[in-house]
Amino acid sequence: MSAVQSQNKSQKKSQNKSESQAALQAEMKAAGIDEVLLGEARAAVEAAGAVLRERYTTHARARNIAEIFEELQANDNAVLPELERRLLAARPGSRWVEDELATGAMPEGEWWIVDPAEGNINHVHGMPEWAVTATLMRDSRPVLTAVHLPLAGDTYTAVAGHGATLDGEPLHVSTKTGLDAALVATGQAQPDEDEETYRRIGESVTALLTAGLVVRVSVPATLQLINVAAGRMEAFWQYSEVRSGLVSGALLVTEAGGVVTDIHGDPWTPARRDFLAAAPGVHRAVSAALAPVK
């Protein structure tokens, strides 16, 4: 290829990228979400992440349960007020979900669901798996999300109907079709789940250890769902409806080409009792493997 041909090819690629970005911005604007709002959400979670990164240590900072909860609350207090101010200002008329552990269906209208330190327990114990998330819900459906991983410097975003990205690069779920080759995961949504939920988690892990390749059990849910959206893992399920841990990941997986339902394959909403997100090629098999767990 000559230098001129190479230059022309590069220019055409740049032009196509610009045209795609312009088309995406036009579609987002038509849906009532513009690039400015997405940028504001991204900036808000990244700013909060910078604060939490300064508070982070690679050693555990609590010696007992009382100190654990003090540290968890201190992390939230360090970033929540500014997150709330910035996001409500970015979307006039939107409202704020106060309880990050809230469950169930949501009222009509637009609401911000935010987890100021998703994986807060990991942060407190000096582990790297934590993030800051912000998701705009419209009539109980996630329509925009931004998830920032401060230690990695990564920011994942998605807008309903317009794809999911990692720092601007498109995300795509796994193309695997065999559950025997699948890496899958689950975890608890919060401390002090009821005994029935713990039983179901245990039985589901046994079922997927038998049917799948490898099962991971860890928290937080959002980081597991990011791996599904990015094609690094094939499925994640959870027996809990805590909204803040699921809505951002649900949108990222859906927009990356994945399938999000309840465990029985019915459409998922925040009111559902359980949750399953998977690559299309293994979704039905995971659902079938979990079906005997009642």
Side-chain angles (χ1 to χ4, degrees), residues 223-261:
L223 268 66
Q224 307 272 41
L225 287 163
I226 282 172
N227 284 328
V228 176
R232 307 182 194 110
M233 194 164 70
E234 280 65 53
F236 173 81
W237 74 96
Q238 186 170 277
Y239 293 105
S240 177
E241 67 277 20
V242 174
R243 296 186 301 235
S244 62
L246 298 176
V247 292
S248 57
L251 184 58
L252 284 164
V253 171
T254 300
E255 292 302 316
V259 181
V260 176
T261 66

Side-chain angles (χ1 to χ4, degrees), residues 165-290:
T165 68
L166 165 57
D167 295 324
E169 293 298 318
L171 294 175
H172 303 285
V173 296
S174 169
T175 58
K176 288 181 186 174
T177 57
L179 187 53
D180 61 342
L183 175 59
V184 300
T186 189
Q188 66 191 89
Q190 58 182 321
D192 300 321
E193 297 273 15
D194 61 82
E195 187 175 334
E196 183 70 8
T197 299
Y198 289 144
R199 178 192 62 78
R200 297 179 80 202
I201 292 172
E203 291 184 9
S204 71
V205 169
T206 299
L208 266 297
L209 282 169
T210 302
L213 179 64
V214 173
V215 178
R216 297 181 55 173
V217 182
S218 63
V219 296
T222 300
L223 268 66
Q224 307 272 41
L225 287 163
I226 282 172
N227 284 328
V228 176
R232 307 182 194 110
M233 194 164 70
E234 280 65 53
F236 173 81
W237 74 96
Q238 186 170 277
Y239 293 105
S240 177
E241 67 277 20
V242 174
R243 296 186 301 235
S244 62
L246 298 176
V247 292
S248 57
L251 184 58
L252 284 164
V253 171
T254 300
E255 292 302 316
V259 181
V260 176
T261 66
D262 69 8
I263 283 174
H264 303 290
D266 295 321
W268 180 80
T269 73
R272 290 290 182 179
R273 181 177 175 225
D274 46 46
F275 175 93
L276 171 61
V282 303
H283 177 271
R284 184 175 297 179
V286 176
S287 179
L290 293 172

Side-chain angles (χ1 to χ4, degrees), residues 137-182:
M137 304 287 288
R138 179 183 296 155
D139 298 335
S140 214
R141 292 180 57 251
V143 294
L144 175 150
T145 196
V147 178
H148 181 55
L149 280 59
L151 297 185
D154 295 338
T155 302
Y156 295 79
T157 60
V159 175
H162 305 299
T165 68
L166 165 57
D167 295 324
E169 293 298 318
L171 294 175
H172 303 285
V173 296
S174 169
T175 58
K176 288 181 186 174
T177 57
L179 187 53
D180 61 342

